[in-house]
Amino acid sequence: MTPATHETEITAVCHVRAPLLLEPVDRQVETLRACESEGAVDDLLLRSWPKEVTLTDDTPYREALESVERFEGWADRRGVSIRPPFRERTATNQISGETTDVLIMPMLCLELYADDELVGVFPHTDEDADETYTTDEAIAALRTGELPTPLGGEPEETAAADSGTDDCPDCGASLIDGQGLFACPECGWVGTVTETGQLVAREEPSRTTERETAAAESR
């Protein structure tokens, strides 16, 4: 677990299957509210979603599906899984006989942000270790002032950036890490890595700008 610092703003987004604000869900929500009032969480956002969402283009719950896509992207980068608690099944219309794929939503799901970066989705499972990090455990960690450390290995983008073995986005050669400034010895590409591990080329001033700057300095 990572200690939560005052420099980092912690936001907790709690998704609850309405209207199931009953034990144990209600107890977890109340504990999160206590975390916010005590300062362990800077902002607590409560969101409701349905029991299931139809996996069609015209679903009225597009926002819920976008949240799940965001969770799955985080889980892939972390090397863990969110299925379960999210699971798919086929529903059959008793009148028409038509079948539809639906996504079953968990009673409660918690996503945590450190500043604007998604750092955890709970519950999730490390399938290799056959271990699950529950929402109860994550909320208990927050209550003690700790930021829960998810299961799985280090995110792929961060691990690559720290090791200096990213591939050049232009030619594919291995980059050299010069204290956070990455350079390609093959094609000369130079750039940095964002907080999410994305390589971004450094903007070089144009020759015109350089001449204008030099002229201004000589005045």
Side-chain angles (χ1 to χ4, degrees):
M1 298 182 187
T2 304
T5 63
H6 294 292
E7 290 78 13
T8 302
E9 183 173 336
I10 304 301
T11 301
V13 184
C14 181
H15 302 268
V16 180
R17 188 197 294 177
L20 291 180
L21 286 180
L22 304 171
E23 287 287 352
V25 173
D26 187 55
R27 173 176 51 80
Q28 293 179 342
V29 171
E30 288 305 314
T31 304
L32 284 171
R33 285 174 172 156
C35 288
E36 183 183 33
S37 64
E38 295 168 1
V41 170
D42 295 287
D43 292 298
L44 171 62
L45 305 176
L46 296 178
R47 300 285 186 266
S48 65
W49 55 25
K51 176 182 177 181
E52 58 187 37
V53 177
T54 56
L55 299 177
T56 57
D57 292 336
D58 59 350
T59 178
Y61 301 110
R62 172 56 54 187
E63 184 177 350
L65 288 181
E66 290 175 352
S67 294
V68 176
E69 292 174 358
R70 183 170 66 253
F71 301 162
E72 290 186 321
W74 171 85
D76 289 343
R77 294 190 298 273
R78 190 77 197 185
V80 296
S81 174
I82 61 167
R83 294 179 181 252
F86 296 92
R87 57 189 178 87
E88 293 184 23
R89 72 175 181 87
T90 301
T92 303
N93 188 303
Q94 299 300 320
I95 298 176
S96 65
E98 295 182 351
T99 59
T100 306
D101 292 330
V102 298
L103 180 66
I104 307 300
M105 314 295 278
M107 290 190 297
L108 185 145
C109 180
L110 179 68
E111 55 177 326
L112 296 177
Y113 291 84
D115 293 329
D116 294 325
E117 181 182 0
L118 178 61
V119 294
V121 176
F122 306 88
H124 63 265
T125 300
D126 184 340
E127 295 177 335
D128 293 334
D130 193 22
E131 185 179 1
T132 298
Y133 202 141
T134 67
T135 52
D136 258 335
E137 293 170 325
I139 294 171
L142 286 172
R143 190 67 190 274
T144 63
E146 301 284 343
L147 185 62
T149 301
L151 302 174
E154 189 177 13
E156 293 179 2
E157 293 89 343
T158 303
D162 290 343
S163 63
T165 57
D166 275 290
D167 292 334
C168 175
D170 284 354
C171 70
S174 295
L175 296 176
I176 299 174
D177 182 2
Q179 295 183 343
L181 185 64
F182 291 80
C184 177
E186 298 295 328
C187 70
W189 183 92
V190 177
T192 59
V193 176
T194 66
E195 292 181 357
T196 58
Q198 182 180 2
L199 286 167
V200 178
R202 186 181 67 175
E203 294 185 3
E204 294 288 351
S206 64
R207 293 184 178 274
T208 300
T209 302
E210 290 177 348
R211 287 196 298 268
E212 292 173 349
T213 302
E217 291 177 347
S218 63
R219 293 172 184 171

